[in-house]
Structure formats: structure tokens, C-alpha cells
Amino acid sequence: MLRGHFDELRPLCPRCRIGGQVVALGVTVVEEERDDDIISGILGCAACGGEYPIIDGLPVIVADVRRYVQDNLFYLLARNDLSPMIESLIGDAAGPASSFDSARQYLSSYVWDHWAEFDTNETKPAPGGARPGAIARGLDSAIVLASADLPEGPVLDIGCGAGRTVHELARRTGRRVLGIDLGSSLARAARRAIVEGKVDYPRRRIGIVFDRRSFAVPQAPRGSADVWICDATALPFADGTFAFALGMNVLDCLSSPRDGLVEFDRVLAPGGEIVLSVPFDWTATVTPVENWIGGHSQRSPLDGDAKEILDLLLTDGPMAAGKLRRKSQAIEIPWHVRLHERSCMHYYAYGLAAISG
């Protein structure tokens, strides 16, 4: 955790904030630190006594730390120092659909897209002609929807995944950028790429055959970008902290997208903006059907149309989610997820910008 980010953003205790108190966290324990980067330690709340660990440079700032650790214990403690041969043997023994296999698949798909264009061994396109870097090209398309004249202040990348957009935002804006994600495996990969300029991940070939890929990537300007583990529906920041926010392919990964929009609005400064891209690829195990934005209840007047419902959430009226208001232009953004060398899922994400009142 970079001290510069901590000092500027002054994260709040999420448990106290949900309870109506505004209490800033403090650094209570530092076990390991390198050049103002806390690698291992604890953040603490003086009001409720809550403790939030810093693991591999990633502060875990979520309201229910106990539940988060229980649900993510395998991923938080996963080793990344196994040799390719031993990793392969463990993968065969664990078998398909194991936690080990799922974690490798997740890293394979998203790290490949975010960073594999810098891998000199990545010479062939994925099925359908897909090339790494779709998330960066999507940002190219989406960022033009934002105003050039934004308030002063830092940038928040919500659901940053493997971190490429954090890097790009820091490089393009010259502002302090924070990426947040709930997935500890991806957040760890993102932080290593951004802060250390290194990528090391299992790239799926077919079945449970994975090839270890390691390579260097361009680093963000020193001290400009960091990654934390936070819940997008309960952000640990004071009102009006950020001038700009980005949420690419994250809204349909939240337990309550509407609550997420309200939170995004809360942490944006007046006149601040957010750019969203949404493929509307819902998963009932993550988002209960009743919380989906469209994709069901085609008997309703809106015929279950996801784009129309999202637009209403960002427009004055009874469905409005906070004070975020959609700007006029919207675009379709191509995106894809590589599964293995013979399979790739292609999407069109709905891209739009909204301004905070």
C-alpha cells in the first residue's frame, strides 16, 4: 500500500461508515515496508477496534473482514512460487472445477487480455481473431465520453481486474489513480504489474494444461497508481473524494448494481464524472435476479431492456440511483474473454458517461 495514496485518500472504516460514523483508518502495524510501500501490516479503526490486513501490499478494506477472509482464504494464501512442473502436477491432481483450476482460469483469461500484448511469446490471435488489450482499446473508446474539464482530484478505477486500466489512467491523466477489486488473485497480479512492472501468470492452453508466462510490462509513473481490495457497494471513502471514476465491465458483477451506482455518486465530487461499460452478462450466483438491470421480466413496459433500465437509473425520476445523470452520448464497446486456445467469448458492452450532481 503506497503511503502517498493512503495519505491523500484517507480511507474510512467501512464498518463505521455503514453505521453512520465517519472514522478515518490509521496504520497501526507495519511489518514490512519498502520505499514508502507497506507490504505487510494492519490498518486499524480507533472507534470500533476493527482491523484490516495489508497482505502483499494489498489493504483489505471491507466491512466484514472475517467473512471476506473465510470466503477467500484459498486465494489469499495461494502460493505463486511453485515451479511450472509442480504446478502442473498439482493441477492434474486437483482436477477440473477445483479451486486451484478456477483460480488459474480466472487469471489466464483476464491477465491475458490486460497484459499479454507485451508478451513476446504471444504471437497468435485467439479464436475469432481476438487480440490481447481489448480492455485498453475499450478505454480508448470510452474515455472520450468524459469531459476534458474535470474537477481537481484523484481517480478511482472500480473493478480494475488485472490492472491495465489503472496503468492507462495514471499515464493519461497525470493524476493519482486507485484501482479497487474484490478478487484477491487478480488484485495481486494487478499490483505486481503496476508497481513492479512484472507479470507472471498461468496461461491456459487447453483442458487443465497451463503454460507459465513471465514478462516485463511498462510501469505506471512512480507513485501514481495503486490497487486495494474494496467492496464497490460499500466504498471506504468520504463523500466527494474522487474527480473521476471508471467502471469497465463491473456493474453486472455486483450483488446490487443499483447500490453500486449510489456509492459511485457518493464518492464523486460535484461535477465529477464516471464512465461505465456494461456487457449485461449477469450471473445469478453473484447478482440475485431481482437486482439485475434488465435481462428478465419481459412482460414489463420496458420489455426487460437492460440499456433502457440503466438509462432510467441515471435520469431524473422515481428510478434514479442517487444524483448521477447520464450524459447524452452512448456507444457500443467490443470486448472479449479468452478461455483457451480454441475458445473465446465476444461481447459488446454498453458504454456511457454520467455526471454527479
Side-chain angles (χ1 to χ4, degrees):
M1 180 188 72
L2 298 178
R3 284 190 179 268
H5 280 68
F6 181 82
D7 292 341
E8 179 175 352
L9 299 177
R10 295 180 56 81
L12 306 179
C13 172
R15 188 164 68 181
C16 287
R17 202 198 67 75
I18 290 172
Q21 290 183 280
V22 178
V23 183
L25 294 174
V27 179
T28 57
V29 176
V30 176
E31 286 191 319
E32 181 183 358
E33 183 171 1
R34 305 180 208 136
D35 300 326
D36 289 329
D37 183 9
I38 301 175
I39 308 302
S40 177
I42 297 174
L43 302 177
C45 175
C48 72
E51 293 184 308
Y52 304 89
I54 305 169
I55 305 171
D56 296 330
L58 293 163
V60 181
I61 313 178
V62 298
D64 192 344
V65 174
R66 183 187 299 274
R67 176 65 180 272
Y68 182 84
V69 169
Q70 289 172 351
D71 290 347
N72 294 273
L73 191 60
F74 172 83
Y75 307 103
L76 289 169
L77 300 181
R79 294 175 58 174
N80 58 6
D81 60 345
L82 296 173
S83 69
M85 181 180 296
I86 296 301
E87 185 177 275
S88 172
L89 189 153
I90 290 176
D92 286 355
S98 64
S99 296
F100 188 79
D101 184 58
S102 297
R104 290 197 297 173
Q105 174 65 77
Y106 205 53
L107 286 168
S108 175
S109 292
Y110 290 96
V111 178
W112 177 87
D113 181 50
H114 283 232
W115 299 107
E117 65 183 290
F118 301 106
D119 182 0
T120 56
N121 290 318
E122 195 68 46
T123 58
K124 293 169 55 178
R131 295 177 293 112
I135 197 71
R137 294 189 292 275
L139 177 61
D140 290 340
S141 300
I143 200 74
V144 299
L145 299 175
S147 301
D149 185 21
L150 291 167
E152 292 296 317
V155 174
L156 180 65
D157 188 346
I158 305 162
C160 67
R164 179 66 183 279
T165 47
V166 179
H167 166 93
E168 293 293 331
L169 287 168
R171 183 178 64 83
R172 295 167 190 233
T173 67
R175 302 182 185 222
R176 196 181 300 276
V177 180
L178 177 68
I180 63 167
D181 207 286
L182 266 181
S184 56
S185 296
L186 275 180
R188 185 181 285 115
R191 192 171 200 277
R192 191 177 187 201
I194 292 165
V195 176
E196 301 179 31
K198 298 176 182 177
V199 169
D200 185 5
Y201 80 108
R203 178 187 179 278
R204 186 182 179 197
R205 196 190 316 168
I206 200 76
I208 52 175
V209 177
F210 288 78
D211 300 308
R212 174 63 57 172
R213 291 289 181 86
S214 301
F215 50 92
V217 298
Q219 288 181 261
R222 183 173 177 80
S224 65
D226 203 2
V227 178
W228 297 359
I229 293 176
C230 302
D231 182 353
T233 63
L235 294 169
F237 305 108
D239 297 1
T241 297
F242 297 94
F244 178 71
L246 179 74
M248 298 198 72
N249 311 326
V250 67
L251 202 62
D252 52 358
C253 298
L254 304 181
S255 58
S256 175
R258 192 182 192 284
D259 289 349
L261 290 172
V262 172
E263 274 293 270
F264 305 164
D265 174 46
R266 183 184 68 78
V267 301
L268 280 172
E273 296 185 15
I274 184 168
V275 170
L276 298 167
S277 69
V278 193
F280 301 113
D281 189 29
W282 305 103
T283 302
T285 54
V286 174
T287 312
V289 174
E290 57 269 22
N291 290 345
W292 292 10
I293 299 173
H296 68 96
S297 299
Q298 63 265 40
R299 302 162 306 286
S300 67
L302 295 176
D303 195 32
D305 187 291
K307 294 191 296 184
E308 287 195 36
I309 295 172
L310 178 56
D311 288 347
L312 284 175
L313 290 171
L314 301 175
T315 306
D316 286 324
M319 289 183 62
K323 294 179 287 186
L324 279 178
R325 295 297 175 263
R326 209 204 92 172
K327 298 172 72 175
S328 57
Q329 187 180 7
I331 58 175
E332 297 290 337
I333 301 175
W335 179 56
H336 51 247
V337 175
R338 179 190 180 276
L339 298 181
H340 53 77
E341 66 182 17
R342 294 184 176 275
S343 176
C344 187
M345 295 189 296
H346 293 256
Y347 295 90
Y348 277 105
Y350 184 55
L352 74 161
I355 187 167
S356 176

Short mmCIF file of all heavy atoms in Angstrom, two decimals, residues 20-49:
data_model
loop_
_atom_site.label_atom_id
_atom_site.label_comp_id
_atom_site.label_asym_id
_atom_site.label_seq_id
_atom_site.Cartn_x
_atom_site.Cartn_y
_atom_site.Cartn_z
N GLY A 20 -23.05 4.86 10.07
CA GLY A 20 -23.33 6.29 10.15
C GLY A 20 -22.21 7.13 10.73
O GLY A 20 -22.37 8.35 10.90
N GLN A 21 -21.06 6.53 11.06
CA GLN A 21 -19.92 7.28 11.58
C GLN A 21 -18.86 7.45 10.50
O GLN A 21 -18.68 6.59 9.65
CB GLN A 21 -19.28 6.56 12.77
CG GLN A 21 -20.11 6.54 14.03
CD GLN A 21 -19.35 5.86 15.16
OE1 GLN A 21 -19.30 4.63 15.24
NE2 GLN A 21 -18.74 6.66 16.03
N VAL A 22 -18.16 8.57 10.55
CA VAL A 22 -17.06 8.83 9.63
C VAL A 22 -15.77 8.79 10.43
O VAL A 22 -15.44 9.74 11.16
CB VAL A 22 -17.22 10.19 8.92
CG1 VAL A 22 -16.03 10.46 8.00
CG2 VAL A 22 -18.52 10.23 8.13
N VAL A 23 -15.05 7.69 10.33
CA VAL A 23 -13.83 7.48 11.11
C VAL A 23 -12.71 7.06 10.17
O VAL A 23 -12.81 6.03 9.49
CB VAL A 23 -14.02 6.39 12.20
CG1 VAL A 23 -12.76 6.27 13.04
CG2 VAL A 23 -15.23 6.71 13.07
N ALA A 24 -11.65 7.85 10.12
CA ALA A 24 -10.52 7.53 9.26
C ALA A 24 -9.70 6.40 9.88
O ALA A 24 -9.51 6.33 11.10
CB ALA A 24 -9.64 8.75 9.05
N LEU A 25 -9.22 5.51 9.02
CA LEU A 25 -8.35 4.43 9.47
C LEU A 25 -6.93 4.94 9.69
O LEU A 25 -6.50 5.92 9.07
CB LEU A 25 -8.33 3.30 8.43
CG LEU A 25 -9.63 2.55 8.21
CD1 LEU A 25 -9.48 1.57 7.05
CD2 LEU A 25 -10.06 1.80 9.47
N GLY A 26 -6.20 4.27 10.56
CA GLY A 26 -4.79 4.58 10.77
C GLY A 26 -3.93 3.36 10.52
O GLY A 26 -4.41 2.22 10.56
N VAL A 27 -2.67 3.58 10.24
CA VAL A 27 -1.72 2.47 10.10
C VAL A 27 -1.26 2.10 11.50
O VAL A 27 -0.54 2.87 12.16
CB VAL A 27 -0.52 2.88 9.22
CG1 VAL A 27 0.47 1.72 9.11
CG2 VAL A 27 -0.98 3.32 7.84
N THR A 28 -1.67 0.95 11.99
CA THR A 28 -1.35 0.55 13.36
C THR A 28 -0.17 -0.39 13.46
O THR A 28 0.50 -0.44 14.50
CB THR A 28 -2.58 -0.10 14.02
OG1 THR A 28 -3.01 -1.21 13.25
CG2 THR A 28 -3.73 0.90 14.12
N VAL A 29 0.08 -1.18 12.40
CA VAL A 29 1.21 -2.11 12.40
C VAL A 29 1.87 -2.08 11.03
O VAL A 29 1.18 -2.14 10.00
CB VAL A 29 0.77 -3.56 12.72
CG1 VAL A 29 1.95 -4.52 12.60
CG2 VAL A 29 0.14 -3.66 14.10
N VAL A 30 3.19 -1.98 11.01
CA VAL A 30 3.96 -2.13 9.78
C VAL A 30 4.98 -3.24 10.00
O VAL A 30 5.90 -3.10 10.81
CB VAL A 30 4.69 -0.82 9.38
CG1 VAL A 30 5.55 -1.05 8.15
CG2 VAL A 30 3.68 0.29 9.11
N GLU A 31 4.80 -4.34 9.31
CA GLU A 31 5.75 -5.46 9.43
C GLU A 31 6.84 -5.39 8.37
O GLU A 31 7.98 -5.78 8.62
CB GLU A 31 5.00 -6.79 9.29
CG GLU A 31 4.18 -7.18 10.49
CD GLU A 31 3.69 -8.61 10.39
OE1 GLU A 31 3.27 -9.03 9.29
OE2 GLU A 31 3.72 -9.32 11.41
N GLU A 32 6.47 -4.93 7.18
CA GLU A 32 7.45 -4.83 6.10
C GLU A 32 7.09 -3.63 5.24
O GLU A 32 5.93 -3.42 4.88
CB GLU A 32 7.45 -6.09 5.24
CG GLU A 32 8.46 -6.06 4.10
CD GLU A 32 8.43 -7.29 3.21
OE1 GLU A 32 7.63 -8.20 3.50
OE2 GLU A 32 9.19 -7.32 2.21
N GLU A 33 8.10 -2.82 4.93
CA GLU A 33 7.88 -1.63 4.10
C GLU A 33 9.09 -1.42 3.21
O GLU A 33 10.24 -1.58 3.65
CB GLU A 33 7.64 -0.40 4.97
CG GLU A 33 7.33 0.85 4.18
CD GLU A 33 6.88 2.01 5.06
OE1 GLU A 33 6.83 1.84 6.30
OE2 GLU A 33 6.57 3.09 4.52
N ARG A 34 8.83 -1.05 1.95
CA ARG A 34 9.91 -0.76 1.00
C ARG A 34 9.60 0.55 0.29
O ARG A 34 8.60 0.65 -0.42
CB ARG A 34 10.04 -1.86 -0.05
CG ARG A 34 10.24 -3.26 0.48
CD ARG A 34 10.37 -4.25 -0.66
NE ARG A 34 9.93 -5.58 -0.25
CZ ARG A 34 9.18 -6.38 -0.98
NH1 ARG A 34 8.74 -5.98 -2.17
NH2 ARG A 34 8.83 -7.58 -0.53
N ASP A 35 10.43 1.54 0.50
CA ASP A 35 10.29 2.82 -0.21
C ASP A 35 8.87 3.38 -0.11
O ASP A 35 8.22 3.67 -1.13
CB ASP A 35 10.67 2.65 -1.69
CG ASP A 35 12.11 2.20 -1.86
OD1 ASP A 35 12.95 2.60 -1.05
OD2 ASP A 35 12.37 1.43 -2.81
N ASP A 36 8.37 3.53 1.10
CA ASP A 36 7.03 4.08 1.35
C ASP A 36 5.92 3.20 0.77
O ASP A 36 4.83 3.69 0.46
CB ASP A 36 6.90 5.50 0.80
CG ASP A 36 7.72 6.50 1.62
OD1 ASP A 36 7.87 6.27 2.84
OD2 ASP A 36 8.19 7.49 1.06
N ASP A 37 6.20 1.92 0.61
CA ASP A 37 5.20 0.96 0.15
C ASP A 37 5.07 -0.10 1.25
O ASP A 37 5.99 -0.90 1.47
CB ASP A 37 5.65 0.33 -1.16
CG ASP A 37 4.62 -0.63 -1.74
OD1 ASP A 37 3.49 -0.68 -1.22
OD2 ASP A 37 4.94 -1.32 -2.74
N ILE A 38 3.94 -0.09 1.96
CA ILE A 38 3.73 -1.04 3.04
C ILE A 38 3.32 -2.38 2.46
O ILE A 38 2.25 -2.50 1.86
CB ILE A 38 2.67 -0.53 4.04
CG1 ILE A 38 3.09 0.82 4.61
CG2 ILE A 38 2.47 -1.54 5.17
CD1 ILE A 38 2.04 1.45 5.52
N ILE A 39 4.16 -3.38 2.61
CA ILE A 39 3.92 -4.71 2.04
C ILE A 39 3.09 -5.57 2.99
O ILE A 39 2.24 -6.36 2.56
CB ILE A 39 5.26 -5.41 1.73
CG1 ILE A 39 6.17 -4.50 0.89
CG2 ILE A 39 5.01 -6.75 1.04
CD1 ILE A 39 5.56 -4.06 -0.43
N SER A 40 3.35 -5.43 4.28
CA SER A 40 2.63 -6.23 5.27
C SER A 40 2.37 -5.38 6.50
O SER A 40 3.27 -4.70 7.00
CB SER A 40 3.47 -7.46 5.66
OG SER A 40 2.83 -8.22 6.67
N GLY A 41 1.12 -5.40 6.97
CA GLY A 41 0.78 -4.61 8.15
C GLY A 41 -0.70 -4.67 8.44
O GLY A 41 -1.42 -5.52 7.93
N ILE A 42 -1.16 -3.72 9.25
CA ILE A 42 -2.56 -3.68 9.66
C ILE A 42 -3.03 -2.23 9.71
O ILE A 42 -2.33 -1.36 10.24
CB ILE A 42 -2.78 -4.34 11.04
CG1 ILE A 42 -2.41 -5.83 11.00
CG2 ILE A 42 -4.22 -4.18 11.52
CD1 ILE A 42 -2.46 -6.52 12.37
N LEU A 43 -4.21 -1.99 9.16
CA LEU A 43 -4.92 -0.73 9.35
C LEU A 43 -5.92 -0.93 10.48
O LEU A 43 -6.54 -2.00 10.58
CB LEU A 43 -5.64 -0.31 8.07
CG LEU A 43 -4.80 -0.15 6.81
CD1 LEU A 43 -5.69 0.20 5.63
CD2 LEU A 43 -3.72 0.92 7.01
N GLY A 44 -6.09 0.09 11.31
CA GLY A 44 -7.00 -0.05 12.44
C GLY A 44 -7.94 1.11 12.58
O GLY A 44 -7.68 2.23 12.13
N CYS A 45 -9.09 0.84 13.21
CA CYS A 45 -10.10 1.85 13.49
C CYS A 45 -10.12 2.10 14.99
O CYS A 45 -10.38 1.18 15.77
CB CYS A 45 -11.47 1.40 13.00
SG CYS A 45 -12.82 2.54 13.44
N ALA A 46 -9.90 3.36 15.39
CA ALA A 46 -9.88 3.70 16.81
C ALA A 46 -11.27 3.68 17.42
O ALA A 46 -11.42 3.56 18.65
CB ALA A 46 -9.26 5.09 17.00
N ALA A 47 -12.32 3.77 16.59
CA ALA A 47 -13.69 3.84 17.12
C ALA A 47 -14.26 2.46 17.43
O ALA A 47 -14.79 2.22 18.51
CB ALA A 47 -14.59 4.58 16.14
N CYS A 48 -14.15 1.53 16.46
CA CYS A 48 -14.78 0.22 16.65
C CYS A 48 -13.77 -0.89 16.92
O CYS A 48 -14.16 -2.02 17.21
CB CYS A 48 -15.62 -0.14 15.43
SG CYS A 48 -14.67 -0.58 13.95
N GLY A 49 -12.49 -0.58 16.80
CA GLY A 49 -11.46 -1.59 17.03
C GLY A 49 -11.25 -2.52 15.85
O GLY A 49 -10.51 -3.51 15.96
#
